[in-house]
mmCIF file of all heavy atoms in Angstrom:
data_model
loop_
_atom_site.group_PDB
_atom_site.id
_atom_site.type_symbol
_atom_site.label_atom_id
_atom_site.label_comp_id
_atom_site.label_asym_id
_atom_site.label_seq_id
_atom_site.Cartn_x
_atom_site.Cartn_y
_atom_site.Cartn_z
ATOM 1 N N GLY A 3 8.742 19.817 -10.152
ATOM 2 C CA GLY A 3 8.273 18.626 -9.418
ATOM 3 C C GLY A 3 7.399 17.799 -10.336
ATOM 4 O O GLY A 3 7.102 18.160 -11.500
ATOM 5 N N PRO A 4 6.974 16.638 -9.849
ATOM 6 C CA PRO A 4 6.171 15.723 -10.698
ATOM 7 C C PRO A 4 4.787 16.317 -11.022
ATOM 8 O O PRO A 4 4.264 17.077 -10.219
ATOM 9 C CB PRO A 4 6.013 14.477 -9.876
ATOM 10 C CG PRO A 4 6.209 14.949 -8.459
ATOM 11 C CD PRO A 4 7.149 16.091 -8.516
ATOM 12 N N VAL A 5 4.280 15.955 -12.144
ATOM 13 C CA VAL A 5 2.979 16.382 -12.549
ATOM 14 C C VAL A 5 1.977 15.303 -12.154
ATOM 15 O O VAL A 5 2.158 14.158 -12.449
ATOM 16 C CB VAL A 5 2.879 16.609 -14.107
ATOM 17 C CG1 VAL A 5 1.508 16.954 -14.529
ATOM 18 C CG2 VAL A 5 3.889 17.682 -14.515
ATOM 19 N N THR A 6 0.896 15.696 -11.436
ATOM 20 C CA THR A 6 -0.115 14.824 -11.051
ATOM 21 C C THR A 6 -1.361 15.048 -11.838
ATOM 22 O O THR A 6 -1.880 16.176 -11.856
ATOM 23 C CB THR A 6 -0.427 14.937 -9.503
ATOM 24 O OG1 THR A 6 0.746 14.759 -8.808
ATOM 25 C CG2 THR A 6 -1.467 13.959 -9.086
ATOM 26 N N LEU A 7 -1.792 14.059 -12.560
ATOM 27 C CA LEU A 7 -2.965 14.195 -13.473
ATOM 28 C C LEU A 7 -4.290 13.733 -12.872
ATOM 29 O O LEU A 7 -5.301 13.768 -13.419
ATOM 30 C CB LEU A 7 -2.710 13.474 -14.780
ATOM 31 C CG LEU A 7 -1.491 13.889 -15.538
ATOM 32 C CD1 LEU A 7 -1.291 12.980 -16.775
ATOM 33 C CD2 LEU A 7 -1.580 15.379 -15.923
ATOM 34 N N PHE A 8 -4.264 13.241 -11.631
ATOM 35 C CA PHE A 8 -5.421 12.763 -10.910
ATOM 36 C C PHE A 8 -5.192 12.956 -9.389
ATOM 37 O O PHE A 8 -4.094 13.244 -8.960
ATOM 38 C CB PHE A 8 -5.649 11.322 -11.190
ATOM 39 C CG PHE A 8 -4.447 10.389 -10.843
ATOM 40 C CD1 PHE A 8 -4.271 9.864 -9.651
ATOM 41 C CD2 PHE A 8 -3.476 10.176 -11.814
ATOM 42 C CE1 PHE A 8 -3.197 9.094 -9.296
ATOM 43 C CE2 PHE A 8 -2.347 9.392 -11.504
ATOM 44 C CZ PHE A 8 -2.222 8.836 -10.259
ATOM 45 N N MET A 9 -6.235 12.819 -8.655
ATOM 46 C CA MET A 9 -6.110 12.882 -7.219
ATOM 47 C C MET A 9 -5.330 11.642 -6.736
ATOM 48 O O MET A 9 -5.698 10.535 -7.060
ATOM 49 C CB MET A 9 -7.469 12.951 -6.532
ATOM 50 C CG MET A 9 -8.279 14.212 -6.828
ATOM 51 S SD MET A 9 -7.488 15.693 -6.220
ATOM 52 C CE MET A 9 -7.594 15.449 -4.462
ATOM 53 N N PRO A 10 -4.309 11.822 -5.919
ATOM 54 C CA PRO A 10 -3.564 10.675 -5.373
ATOM 55 C C PRO A 10 -4.491 9.820 -4.500
ATOM 56 O O PRO A 10 -5.373 10.302 -3.851
ATOM 57 C CB PRO A 10 -2.471 11.298 -4.558
ATOM 58 C CG PRO A 10 -2.540 12.721 -4.782
ATOM 59 C CD PRO A 10 -3.798 13.097 -5.460
ATOM 60 N N LEU A 11 -4.286 8.481 -4.581
ATOM 61 C CA LEU A 11 -5.052 7.595 -3.783
ATOM 62 C C LEU A 11 -4.588 7.727 -2.301
ATOM 63 O O LEU A 11 -3.453 7.910 -2.073
ATOM 64 C CB LEU A 11 -4.826 6.165 -4.241
ATOM 65 C CG LEU A 11 -5.353 5.752 -5.599
ATOM 66 C CD1 LEU A 11 -4.918 4.340 -5.992
ATOM 67 C CD2 LEU A 11 -6.855 5.901 -5.699
ATOM 68 N N LEU A 12 -5.567 7.586 -1.441
ATOM 69 C CA LEU A 12 -5.200 7.523 -0.018
ATOM 70 C C LEU A 12 -4.541 6.215 0.274
ATOM 71 O O LEU A 12 -4.810 5.174 -0.327
ATOM 72 C CB LEU A 12 -6.460 7.680 0.830
ATOM 73 C CG LEU A 12 -7.245 8.959 0.707
ATOM 74 C CD1 LEU A 12 -8.486 8.960 1.549
ATOM 75 C CD2 LEU A 12 -6.409 10.149 1.142
ATOM 76 N N GLU A 13 -3.598 6.232 1.256
ATOM 77 C CA GLU A 13 -2.911 5.029 1.654
ATOM 78 C C GLU A 13 -3.875 4.079 2.298
ATOM 79 O O GLU A 13 -4.662 4.509 3.176
ATOM 80 C CB GLU A 13 -1.820 5.409 2.588
ATOM 81 C CG GLU A 13 -0.775 4.297 2.741
ATOM 82 C CD GLU A 13 0.446 4.788 3.442
ATOM 83 O OE1 GLU A 13 0.481 4.952 4.629
ATOM 84 O OE2 GLU A 13 1.432 5.059 2.662
ATOM 85 N N PRO A 14 -3.912 2.800 1.842
ATOM 86 C CA PRO A 14 -4.863 1.865 2.476
ATOM 87 C C PRO A 14 -4.527 1.614 3.953
ATOM 88 O O PRO A 14 -3.394 1.643 4.347
ATOM 89 C CB PRO A 14 -4.685 0.613 1.591
ATOM 90 C CG PRO A 14 -3.376 0.719 1.003
ATOM 91 C CD PRO A 14 -3.083 2.160 0.867
#
Side-chain angles (χ1 to χ4, degrees):
V5 176
T6 301
L7 302 177
F8 56 89
M9 294 297 293
L11 295 174
L12 297 176
E13 195 165 81

